[in-house]
Amino acid sequence: MTDRPVEALLRPPVEYFSALAYLCIGGCAALAPQLLMMTPSVAIVTALTLFSLGVWRGYQGFRIHKYQKGLRRLKPYTMSSRQMPVSHSKLFLGMGFLWDGRHTQRLFDLSRKDGRKYKEQTWLYRWARSFELAHERFTRNHFGNWFVSHYVRTLHGFKRQIHSKGCAKNPLCWVVRYLLDNNPLTPLPPVGGDPTLHAVGLYEGEHPIYMDLGDRVGHTLVLGTTRVGKTRLAELLISQDIHRGDVVVVFDPKGDADLFLRMYLEAKRAGRLDNFYFFHLGYPEISARYNPVGSYSRITEVASRIGRQLPGEGQSAAFREFVWRYVNVIAKALNSLGRKVDYEQILDYGQDIEPLVRDYMELLAKRDDPTGQWTTQVDRVLSYFEDSDIKEYRFTREQQGRDHKVIALMRYVKDKDLFDSVAKSLARTYEYDRGYFDRLVSSLLPLMEKLTSGKCSELLSPDYLDQNDTRPIFTWSEIIRSKGIVYVGLDALTDPEVSAAVGNAMFSDLTSTSGQIYKHGPYAGLPESSIRQAALNIHADEFNELIGDEFIPMLNKAGGSGYQVTAYTQTWSDVEARLQDKAKAGQVAGNFNSLLMLRVREPDTAKMLTEHLHQVDVTYLMPISGFTDSSDPHTSTDFVSRSEHRIMTQQLDLIQINNLTSLPKGQCYALLDGGKPHKIRLPLADKTDLSELPHSLRAVAEDMQSHYTTSEDWYSFTPSWNREKEGA
């Protein structure tokens, strides 16, 4: 039927009639061949042939019936984590099919007047829903709640018993199972959308959809509005990455408890719980620790990571450049002193650089004179400064408020010709006028205060020498070498500025680590593992809140070092608003080779998928009728009428924008394998295995869930500082 000029699936399944006729005649030939005047041998062959034709025609009618039934209701698709397929060459996405012109044609047929009745619910279903609303008060009282819950428990228990293996051999069970599974009064699943978008592909049948792991290096973009299945898709992909043995890093700005719990359980089942790290700015007591500026390939990266967080438009650009230089001087001095750079030290020396100058000058003096005689000479220089008669040692105006001993120490080091580039930078910075200098670095201190206030300071500026603190400290190099799993909760709802600063610093660190892998490999001179090098899968939820100038180089250049980014966001306009540059947003979009689009509400976002597809010809029958009068008086024909159907064609987009705006929850279109369009149904979550959580993590997850807020109810969000006041 699909190879005809016009595909006829929206019609009664007339194949049943011919199937019944074949079976009846075949039964007659088998049981009473004399009625058909056949010999027994001929009757047997005829009966078998007719039975085969009857079964085949019945199967064709059943396919039509099943297709039309699926237009109104799709069976739920659930999968537990234990049933999830894991492959080292493919990534499982769900059940679906390759979308082509046949499916566009079927949607077009359903949109016409003759096809609407096949997708509308029956009058019996509409009556059942109106009956529920009319008797809603009954279900609200205590007796109604007890009756409904008791009925539901009994029905579910009966269904489990019917579906058990012991009942499978009883034919009555098959009848009861069919009646239960095909109850026309059962409410539709709360997924919304148009079920026909997936049902049009069920005539040929759906099959597992896989994505080649080699394509993931080109990065993947997932678009979908709030509460349509992005997190479930993330759980599905992350779980496979964990069981495959890859490095997994998940950035979750808002703190989704289900996502965190799924990562923990899958790490436990995969036997990788020892390499699982929980980093969350909102739970510093149990969080792992991380120094965003402690790891770098070039010392200038420290200043760049901090400088990018400061405003750089207009007159602020000059102040930003000065802050960059100032932080770079501090970082160079700390690195030369052998100290680990962190936010706490940058804040301390940003307020007063004098102790750092003293420490570095003493280092140079000790290196030149290990005997310690330099202290006596410094005291002699100090006496020169205090003697006002010696003009060349008089204090300048900028030096009046400084520590005289530090000035003497600098003069001693300079006279001994011990100045290096770091000492020169420190001396030049130290000699600035104190008031003028404070105004220049005024934009640095507020940012550092945000990153070092409260218990978050212990996370972002860890004390490496504190043996009583058992919270682990990780770096990206260690995570990659140990094939770790990291959940990063940035607590963006409580403090978006700190969240953005930490997230961008992490991305800068990851990009720097990618450069080290390019140059030295993942083990950087350490003994290499005999196991294959694992890919680094980065899952960035709420991508629009994380993206910045640090993210773009990682998309452009980090693929060669094994980085595979999967970004999740609601609309592409969010990314453009974040970057404030449409050209830069287009540059980011060009780095995603694979696209998965769930339900979206913005037409411009939908066009990111539809504009990459060609148009197809759809056909329809146009009924034409007419008549022609006869003016010949010599004939008995008064008029001639005609009635015909013409096959007409028109061009439509392969996937239209309204298809993407009316997708049910848990369904998506995907451009895979070089832009081939697929229609995919994601498996629903099976949360029965969440009971395996330890009590401590369950308490954290419940608190995360209570504070989790999406953009659809932003107006009801209460900041953390107000929550504390309300609870006081």
Side-chain angles (χ1 to χ4, degrees):
M1 286 168 288
T2 59
D3 57 349
R4 301 292 189 268
V6 177
E7 188 180 45
L9 298 179
L10 302 181
R11 56 174 177 77
V14 295
E15 289 85 354
Y16 284 152
F17 299 109
S18 58
L20 180 61
Y22 281 131
L23 294 176
C24 290
I25 298 176
C28 182
L31 300 176
Q34 63 276 9
L35 296 179
L36 301 177
M37 294 180 291
M38 294 182 181
T39 62
S41 58
V42 174
I44 292 175
V45 175
T46 302
L48 292 176
T49 303
L50 293 175
F51 280 144
S52 300
L53 291 174
V55 171
W56 173 246
R57 292 294 288 173
Y59 172 70
Q60 291 179 330
F62 174 75
R63 290 183 66 188
I64 296 290
H65 174 74
K66 184 179 180 181
Y67 170 76
Q68 295 175 358
K69 178 184 174 183
L71 296 175
R72 295 189 177 98
R73 180 192 301 267
L74 287 176
K75 289 185 178 181
Y77 173 37
T78 59
M79 175 185 291
S80 65
S81 60
R82 294 182 176 86
Q83 298 172 330
M84 178 184 59
V86 178
S87 170
H88 290 282
S89 59
K90 300 288 184 180
L91 180 69
F92 175 73
L93 299 177
M95 299 294 292
F97 49 89
L98 181 65
W99 188 277
D100 55 31
R102 295 173 298 174
H103 310 109
T104 307
Q105 175 71 60
R106 292 168 189 171
L107 285 179
F108 177 78
D109 293 340
L110 286 167
S111 66
R112 293 173 61 84
K113 181 179 179 181
D114 297 340
R116 293 175 187 171
K117 63 180 180 179
Y118 291 97
K119 63 178 183 179
E120 295 176 352
Q121 298 299 328
T122 62
W123 67 269
L124 190 61
Y125 178 87
R126 295 193 296 270
W127 172 84
R129 302 289 78 78
S130 61
F131 182 84
E132 286 180 350
L133 291 176
H135 298 80
E136 185 178 7
R137 295 182 58 187
F138 169 75
T139 60
R140 290 177 179 266
N141 57 45
H142 294 292
F143 174 75
N145 287 334
W146 173 85
F147 177 81
V148 172
S149 61
H150 178 73
Y151 169 76
V152 170
R153 285 197 304 268
T154 304
L155 180 61
H156 285 182
F158 183 61
K159 289 183 69 174
R160 284 196 299 268
Q161 184 178 359
I162 290 297
H163 285 79
S164 63
K165 295 182 179 179
C167 187
K169 298 180 180 179
N170 190 346
L172 181 62
C173 289
W174 287 93
V175 177
V176 176
R177 179 187 300 182
Y178 178 81
L179 294 177
L180 290 175
D181 292 341
N182 296 273
N183 182 10
L185 302 182
T186 304
L188 294 174
V191 296
D194 187 359
T196 61
L197 294 174
H198 194 82
V200 293
L202 298 183
Y203 183 75
E204 291 81 14
E206 58 182 359
H207 57 274
I209 301 297
Y210 291 92
M211 175 181 174
D212 197 301
L213 289 182
D215 294 338
R216 294 192 71 185
V217 181
H219 311 306
T220 305
L221 176 63
V222 179
L223 292 167
T225 188
T226 304
R227 298 297 186 183
V228 295
K230 291 197 304 295
T231 302
R232 176 51 189 162
L233 176 60
E235 292 179 12
L236 180 67
L237 304 185
I238 292 169
S239 299
Q240 295 179 70
D241 292 339
I242 291 175
H243 286 278
R244 195 182 302 110
D246 291 345
V247 183
V248 181
V249 180
V250 177
F251 289 90
D252 185 8
K254 293 183 178 179
D256 192 313
D258 292 338
L259 180 59
F260 159 62
L261 296 180
R262 179 60 58 189
M263 288 184 63
Y264 177 86
L265 289 174
E266 299 305 333
K268 181 179 179 181
R269 289 179 185 143
R272 303 178 61 189
L273 202 56
D274 293 340
N275 293 328
F276 181 81
Y277 294 85
F278 174 74
F279 177 87
H280 202 294
L281 295 177
Y283 303 94
E285 298 83 3
I286 62 173
S287 171
R289 294 175 291 170
Y290 168 73
N291 186 354
V293 293
S295 177
Y296 44 81
S297 58
R298 294 182 180 177
I299 192 62
T300 54
E301 294 177 21
V302 176
S304 298
R305 296 176 195 178
I306 295 176
R308 289 195 186 104
Q309 314 304 321
L310 303 175
E313 295 80 17
Q315 296 180 353
S316 300
F319 291 94
R320 179 176 176 178
E321 292 299 322
F322 184 85
V323 169
W324 185 96
R325 178 188 175 278
Y326 183 50
V327 175
N328 188 54
V329 169
I330 296 175
K332 289 194 300 181
L334 291 173
N335 185 66
S336 299
L337 288 169
R339 301 177 187 174
K340 201 75 171 177
V341 184
D342 57 39
Y343 287 144
E344 284 281 1
Q345 295 186 87
I346 293 176
L347 173 62
D348 292 341
Y349 298 129
Q351 294 172 326
D352 184 9
I353 200 173
E354 195 170 66
L356 182 61
V357 176
R358 178 193 299 112
D359 293 344
Y360 191 76
M361 297 303 169
E362 289 181 353
L363 174 67
L364 295 180
K366 291 177 182 178
R367 188 182 299 169
D368 179 67
D369 185 8
T371 62
Q373 296 297 324
W374 60 271
T375 57
T376 305
Q377 299 181 38
V378 170
D379 292 337
R380 185 180 301 112
V381 174
L382 180 59
S383 65
Y384 294 159
F385 275 106
E386 294 175 349
D387 188 353
S388 58
D389 294 335
I390 306 177
K391 294 183 179 181
E392 59 177 316
Y393 285 95
R394 288 179 182 177
F395 291 110
T396 63
R397 183 176 62 85
E398 292 81 6
Q399 294 174 342
Q400 293 295 330
R402 301 290 189 178
D403 188 341
H404 295 176
K405 191 168 184 178
V406 175
I407 298 174
L409 181 60
M410 288 178 54
R411 184 58 179 265
Y412 166 77
V413 174
K414 186 175 183 180
D415 292 342
K416 296 283 287 184
D417 197 19
L418 302 178
F419 261 29
D420 56 10
S421 60
V422 177
K424 291 178 182 178
S425 299
L426 282 172
R428 195 175 300 112
T429 304
Y430 185 67
E431 290 170 355
Y432 272 106
D433 178 75
R434 187 73 175 257
Y436 176 69
F437 180 79
D438 290 342
R439 288 193 296 271
L440 288 176
V441 299
S442 59
S443 58
L444 171 66
L445 301 183
L447 174 63
M448 291 295 100
E449 287 285 354
K450 295 175 184 177
L451 296 172
T452 57
S453 298
K455 293 186 177 181
C456 288
S457 175
E458 301 175 5
L459 298 184
L460 303 177
S461 302
D463 185 358
Y464 293 85
L465 302 178
D466 186 2
Q467 298 181 358
N468 296 323
D469 195 340
T470 59
R471 292 174 297 178
I473 304 175
F474 68 88
T475 64
W476 295 126
S477 299
E478 295 172 355
I479 294 297
I480 293 173
R481 285 194 292 264
S482 63
K483 300 182 181 179
I485 304 168
V486 184
Y487 172 85
V488 179
L490 296 175
D491 202 21
L493 291 174
T494 303
D495 197 336
E497 294 186 15
V498 175
S499 168
V502 176
N504 288 331
M506 285 186 166
F507 288 140
S508 295
D509 198 357
L510 281 168
T511 305
S512 175
T513 305
S514 171
Q516 295 179 17
I517 294 175
Y518 264 119
K519 292 184 290 186
H520 309 294
Y523 298 97
L526 297 175
E528 297 189 8
S529 172
S530 59
I531 308 175
R532 67 176 181 90
Q533 178 183 347
L536 173 57
N537 295 291
I538 301 173
H539 296 265
D541 197 9
E542 300 296 340
F543 172 61
N544 56 291
E545 296 187 11
L546 297 171
I547 189 171
D549 293 337
E550 299 82 3
F551 203 90
I552 298 175
M554 187 167 62
L555 292 176
N556 286 340
K557 305 174 180 66
S561 55
Y563 284 30
Q564 301 174 166
V565 178
T566 304
Y568 309 81
T569 189
Q570 297 177 8
T571 66
W572 193 248
S573 295
D574 295 334
V575 178
E576 294 181 358
R578 178 75 175 185
L579 295 174
Q580 298 181 352
D581 189 339
K582 190 171 183 179
K584 189 177 292 186
Q587 178 186 7
V588 174
N591 284 284
F592 291 104
N593 288 338
S594 300
L595 174 63
L596 284 79
M597 188 171 292
L598 294 89
R599 183 198 302 170
V600 295
R601 304 304 303 170
E602 187 184 52
D604 289 341
T605 302
K607 289 179 181 178
M608 292 184 64
L609 185 142
T610 59
E611 288 181 345
H612 292 280
L613 303 175
H614 59 276
Q615 290 188 327
V616 294
D617 291 330
V618 296
T619 61
Y620 61 95
L621 294 176
M622 175 180 288
I624 299 176
S625 60
F627 65 91
T628 303
D629 294 334
S630 177
S631 58
D632 188 355
H634 301 289
T635 180
S636 60
T637 301
D638 296 328
F639 65 91
V640 177
S641 65
R642 72 182 185 278
S643 179
E644 62 185 34
H645 284 78
R646 291 183 182 177
I647 298 178
M648 308 294 292
T649 63
Q650 72 178 77
Q651 282 198 333
L652 291 178
D653 292 335
L654 184 63
I655 298 176
Q656 302 183 55
I657 293 178
N658 61 344
N659 296 352
L660 295 165
T661 58
S662 57
L663 275 171
K665 296 179 181 179
Q667 296 186 20
C668 71
Y669 286 95
L671 295 181
L672 307 173
D673 192 19
K676 296 179 181 178
H678 292 75
K679 178 64 179 62
I680 304 175
R681 191 158 56 126
L682 309 176
L684 300 177
D686 184 2
K687 297 185 178 181
T688 57
D689 47 8
L690 295 182
S691 58
E692 304 177 13
L693 284 173
H695 178 72
S696 59
L697 286 182
R698 183 174 296 276
V700 172
E702 291 175 356
D703 187 64
M704 290 173 61
Q705 193 67 42
S706 64
H707 293 166
Y708 180 74
T709 306
T710 59
S711 59
E712 62 186 3
D713 52 359
W714 58 269
Y715 53 85
S716 62
F717 169 64
T718 304
S720 58
W721 51 86
N722 288 344
R723 286 197 295 265
E724 294 172 358
K725 293 179 181 178
E726 294 172 358

